[in-house]
Structure formats: structure tokens, C-alpha cells
Amino acid sequence: MNNALWVYVQLNGQKVEPTSLQLITKARQIAEGRPVVALLAEDLTTNAEETVKEYGPDEIIVLKDDHFTQPTDGELADALFQVVSANTPNGLLFPATVQGRSVAPRLQAKLRTGLTADCLDVYYDGEDLIQVKPTYGDDIMCEILCPDHRPQMATVRPNTFNAEKVTGANVKITTATFTFHSEANIEVVSEKPIISSSANIADAKIVVALGRGADNDKTIALAEKAAAKLGGMVGVSRPLTDNPKFSHESQIGQSGNTIAPDLLINLGVSGAVQYTVGIENAGKVVSVNTDDKAPIFAVSDFGYVGTANEFLEALVNDIK
Amino acid sequence: MKIVVCIKQVPVGAVKIDPETHNLVRSNVEGDINPYDRNAIEAAIQLKEQAGGEVILLSMGPDSYISSLRDGLAMGADSAVLLSSRAFGGADTLATAYTLAAGIKKIGNVDLILFGRQSVDADTGQVGPIVAEDLAIPQITFAENIELHDHNVLVVKRLLDSAVQEVKVTLPAVVSVRAELNQPRYENPLNIQTSFEKSVTIWSEKDLDLDNSQIGQAGSPTVVRKVYAPDKATKQMEQLPTHASKAVTQLLSELNN
């Protein structure tokens, strides 16, 4: 058993998932003297430690094997388990991405320890890693801990923290000893990058967001026009993910994306906590709602009481 | 094909916090099938329509969960199993998955276990992968397309963070599905009627091959220390004029300052 705080470094192709770098910075801030260790599994042609070391972990443990180009969840969990169980770190953080949320529980089951999903904050209180996550319902947050098992595992929501480079850090790079075991009965046939992945709502500087009160074709078309004119993107609250035009990728809030635009315009969004938890890092917030008591106005810098369409028509007219 | 769909009942409406235990109080709150689990049930019924076989719903929770199981039966599942006992109470994802895995072993000869992508209350999505590990079978999470290729081979399209993956699996396997996969069918009156003739079996820890240290609160490594309503960072809002074009003009000029 050791007292280190480990961060899993996810690769998307050969690129490091930004959330992993955010978590290295966060880990350095909360570690209270514990070593911060980045855990990386890559194929022989990838050299992600060059990127990772700029963010100043104390150590990078690298698992090298050509199967890591396209591993299954089970294969990745098995390889990580060999290295994690040989060290039993104090804490182990994963990005709450698709890969993190798939591999971390499988690894947890092998380790028989606790795992908290989709945390918005993590910090130490003595030896306990306090894991803060929102839960459904009446504005509820939970603090979860794992007192008797190690490592204390959590997945942490993307874009909740900033990644900061560290100059002149002394980073030790260690090659892990493990054996890659191919998983029977399952094969990753292909993996194709999504071309539009650069246009991610989480990274957009301007977001025009649609809620239940804006779920009609005319408003959606106007919102798209306004977003295009502003150089922004259209996002939605959860009810609109039922509209075939939108998917989970454009969803804002709990179980969707945390966004941090400079300008956010909410249209017909009532402001349930499942939504507002995803916009806490937004800069200027403008909200349009026909209900002057809508909770969204409490987290807004500017409020307009009226219909989304009249506001959008004026906006589209006015933007040069 | 013998398909088990794991479902969870989630609260509808307000949830309270127990001041003593700090647990969420779900009693007295109306419950419904977790919406994502309806996509899993739909996927199971579609596979049964292609390949034949049966669809069994599985849940863990108090007897009040039977109403959600009946809803799933009314969609077209064949039978349901509820794992219900005080001994299962206070379970986190690890203990829940362990118990579900024991239920799946008892059902026996299961080819495919389907989950919704995550629950809308706890939002973890962890139980599917843990069940897969406990049963030592492959998993495919976040499926957005499932094709039956042979009587026991599935090709699944899976949307990753910045890639689309195609995965081929020989059953048995665990698959969790995205809402984009399908449109869950409505319960028709005939199916609602026949759902009351379908069997709902209840098993407790005595019916399952379990290590009692792995179930309920004892088998749960995580502890809820505190549940609270977060301080909302309220902002000082500026009310814009009621006339839309005046509102926009004022807004744009202030944003540009």
C-alpha cells in the first residue's frame, strides 16, 4: 500500500483526453504532500508521456503494449488491475468520460473497492478522499467516502477543473511490469474518429441553450441561426434530447456536459438543478423565459421575460 | 436467446434527506422505471423478435418495485424477478451488482444481459460493468446500434468520447444501451392486461448463492458522509426591457462594455 494519488490518463487515438490533464492539475492541488502519479497505457508508437509530463505529476507509470491501440474495456481493466493492485495507491481518479465510466467500474470490481461516479469535486479530509457528486431530485449534493478500502476511486466530470502546465517539474517515468491478456469472445473490429469532435459543446465560447419551453421547429431554427451568427453552438437541456434533432452530445447539465462559455443564452430553460450544475462555470448568463419566476433567473446576469422567438428574432436582426 | 434486462425504479418528484442516516428517503415517493432502462427493454424485445427466446426483467429493491416490473412486462417482457430483502438494503453499486450477478446465475444459461446507460437518480452507469466483471464475461457499454449476426454473435456500434467503435462479441455478454438506440414502445392495453398473468418471482438472500459479507451495507465500500442542498450562487440579475428589440440592443451594448 502506498499513499500516492493516481490519475488515469485516457488516450483518444494518440491524443491525451483533456480531462486527464485537468485531473493531474487538480490532484497536485489537493494531494497535501502525497505523490501524484499518472497511469498511462499506450501502444508502442505513442509517446503520450511527453504531453503528460508538462503538467507536472511526480511520476508517470507507463504500460506499453501494441494491443493498447484498440483494447476492450475488459483488457484495459485487467492490465490496469495488475499495476494498481501491485501498488494499492491511496486514490485513483478517472475522467468521467465514456471510457472512464466503462473501465473504472470494471477495475473497481476486480479491486473490490468503492467508486463514486461523475464527481464535481474531490478533496482530502485526513486520509479520506471526499468525493462530491450531485444526485437527482431536490437540489441534492452528496459527499461520499470510502473509509476502509483502497484505492479510493472516483470518476470526475470533464471540464470541471483547469489543466495547468508546470515548468521545470522533475517527472520520473517508470515502465510498468504486466502481462497483456487478450479477452476471449470479444473483438474491437474498428475504431473511427468522429470528424466533428473538435466542435464540442463543452469547449464552445458561446452557447445558445434550448429548454423544454423552446422545443419547437421555429425556435430551434432561430436559435441555430443566432448561434451561427454569434459563432457559437446550440445546446439543450435533458427534455430536448428526446427530440431526434439532438443527442446526448449537445446536452448540458447532469448526465450531459459541463460547459464554460464566455456567453450563455438560455431559452425556455426553467433552471432545474440538474441543468444549472452544468453551467456554473459559464461567464455571462442571459436567460429568456415566459415565466418571470423561473429559477433560471436566479443564476442569470441578464433576464428577459417573454417568448424565445421574439427575443431571437430581435437578436438575429441586431447581430451584424 | 435468453435475455435478462436489469432495471431500476427511480423516484418521480421530490426526494427527501433522512436527517439521521443521511440517506435519501425514497418511500412515499412515486416510482417509475428508469427511462434509459426502457431502451434496454425495447432492445431485448427486438432481439427476441429476431432470434426467438425469452426476455426476463431483473431488479433489486423493495416489493414496491413490482409496479415497475409490471410496466416492463406490459412492454412485452415475458417474466420478472425481484431480489428483495432487508439484507440487500443500503447497497452501493458494488454490492448491488454482486447481488444482481447472483440472481443472473440463479436464472441460469443467460445469453445476454442488458442495462440502460445509467440511472437518472444516482447517474452512475457502474452496475453493468461490475456485473460483467462478476460474471467474468465481456461488456459493451453505451451501445447505439446492435445487430444480431449469428444466433450468438452481436456486432455493436459504440460511441466513444471522440470515436465510433464497432465491437463484435460472442455471447454471453453484458451490453448497456444509449437512448439513441431505439424508441421504446408504448404499453398497449392488451399487454397491460396480460402483464398481470405473467410471473413475478421474488428471491431473497436465502434463495441465492451469496457471500453475506458482499451484500447490502456490509458489502458496500462507499459511505455517504453528508447529503446537502448546495448553496446556490445566485447572481444579481439585470431585468431587460419587455420590448424585445430594446432588450437585445441594451444587452448587446452592455456585453460589449
Side-chain angles (χ1 to χ4, degrees), chain A residues 98-113:
Chain A
V98 169
Q99 191 191 76
R101 295 185 71 157
S102 303
V103 174
R106 186 123 199 174
L107 175 59
Q108 170 208 9
K110 291 174 187 286
L111 294 162
R112 307 313 288 180
T113 186

Side-chain angles (χ1 to χ4, degrees), chain A residues 101-102 133 143 145 189 192, chain B residues 122-123 141 164 166 223 225:
Chain A
R101 295 185 71 157
S102 303
K133 84 173 296 261
E143 286 184 6
L145 40 86
V189 181
K192 296 189 188 84
Chain B
D123 250 322
T141 54
V164 179
E166 202 175 78
V223 175
R225 174 168 90 159

Side-chain angles (χ1 to χ4, degrees), chain B residues 59-222:
Chain B
S59 191
M60 183 185 97
D63 290 356
S64 60
Y65 276 36
I66 290 173
S67 69
S68 288
L69 292 169
R70 291 270 175 226
D71 281 345
L73 293 172
M75 282 178 69
D78 297 293
S79 63
V81 176
L82 179 67
L83 309 179
S84 182
S85 165
R86 279 184 187 279
F88 300 149
D92 70 3
T93 55
L94 191 69
T96 300
Y98 175 80
T99 310
L100 289 174
I104 292 160
K105 283 182 205 158
K106 168 126 178 161
I107 291 168
N109 299 314
V110 175
D111 298 300
L112 177 63
I113 301 128
L114 290 171
F115 285 83
R117 57 171 288 163
Q118 68 206 63
S119 66
V120 294
D121 56 350
D123 250 322
T124 77
Q126 287 169 193
V127 174
I130 303 172
V131 165
E133 177 62 30
D134 285 353
L135 296 173
I137 56 176
Q139 70 182 50
I140 304 176
T141 54
F142 296 91
E144 62 165 17
N145 187 49
I146 301 176
E147 277 175 35
L148 181 66
H149 269 223
D150 200 346
H151 69 286
N152 68 341
V153 176
L154 298 181
V155 174
V156 178
K157 210 167 102 184
R158 182 185 182 214
L159 197 55
L160 299 181
D161 302 296
S162 59
V164 179
Q165 216 178 43
E166 202 175 78
V167 186
K168 188 173 169 185
V169 68
T170 304
L171 302 178
V174 167
V175 176
S176 75
V177 306
R178 298 173 77 101
E180 289 83 352
L181 176 71
N182 57 38
Q183 185 67 47
R185 66 192 65 192
Y186 289 106
E187 304 157 13
N188 69 43
L190 180 66
N191 280 346
I192 292 171
Q193 212 172 3
T194 52
S195 77
F196 287 92
E197 291 152 23
K198 293 175 179 170
S199 90
V200 177
T201 308
I202 298 179
W203 287 334
S204 75
E205 73 280 10
K206 295 183 190 74
D207 301 299
L208 300 173
D209 181 16
L210 287 170
D211 171 353
N212 283 332
S213 70
Q214 299 283 312
I215 62 172
Q217 203 130 32
S220 300
T222 58

Side-chain angles (χ1 to χ4, degrees), chain A residues 10 12 73 97-99 101-102 105-106 108-110 112-117 123 125 130 132-133 135-136 138-147 149 183-194 197 238 247-249 254-255 263 283-286 297-305 310-311 314-315 318, chain B residues 11 15 17 24 36 93-94 98 117-118 120-126 129-130 132-134 137-142 158-170 178 180 214 221-230 232-245 247-249 251-252 254-255:
Chain A
Q10 174 181 332
N12 303 324
D73 294 348
T97 52
V98 169
Q99 191 191 76
R101 295 185 71 157
S102 303
R106 186 123 199 174
Q108 170 208 9
K110 291 174 187 286
R112 307 313 288 180
T113 186
L115 170 65
T116 302
Y123 62 92
D125 179 357
I130 312 300
V132 184
K133 84 173 296 261
T135 247
Y136 189 79
D138 193 17
D139 298 27
I140 295 170
M141 299 287 279
C142 295
E143 286 184 6
I144 293 174
L145 40 86
C146 176
H149 296 75
E183 190 177 11
N185 297 328
I186 182 166
E187 177 198 354
V188 177
V189 181
S190 68
E191 190 173 307
K192 296 189 188 84
I194 303 168
S197 65
R238 179 142 73 196
S247 75
H248 190 71
E249 270 51 58
Q254 185 183 6
S255 80
L263 174 64
K284 290 289 178 208
V285 178
V286 182
F297 288 127
V299 292
S300 302
D301 299 286
F302 297 94
Y304 175 77
V305 181
E310 63 191 19
F311 183 88
L315 185 64
D318 251 35
Chain B
V15 180
I17 299 165
L24 295 178
Y36 294 121
T93 55
L94 191 69
Y98 175 80
R117 57 171 288 163
Q118 68 206 63
V120 294
D121 56 350
D123 250 322
T124 77
Q126 287 169 193
I130 303 172
E133 177 62 30
D134 285 353
I137 56 176
Q139 70 182 50
I140 304 176
T141 54
F142 296 91
R158 182 185 182 214
L159 197 55
L160 299 181
D161 302 296
S162 59
V164 179
Q165 216 178 43
E166 202 175 78
V167 186
K168 188 173 169 185
V169 68
T170 304
R178 298 173 77 101
E180 289 83 352
Q214 299 283 312
T222 58
V223 175
V224 178
R225 174 168 90 159
K226 194 172 154 194
V227 182
Y228 61 100
K232 278 199 218 151
T234 52
K235 290 184 168 183
Q236 193 62 43
M237 189 191 76
E238 181 183 327
Q239 186 88 40
L240 296 168
T242 48
H243 192 280
S245 66
V248 167
T249 308
L251 174 68
L252 293 178
E254 294 199 28
L255 285 176

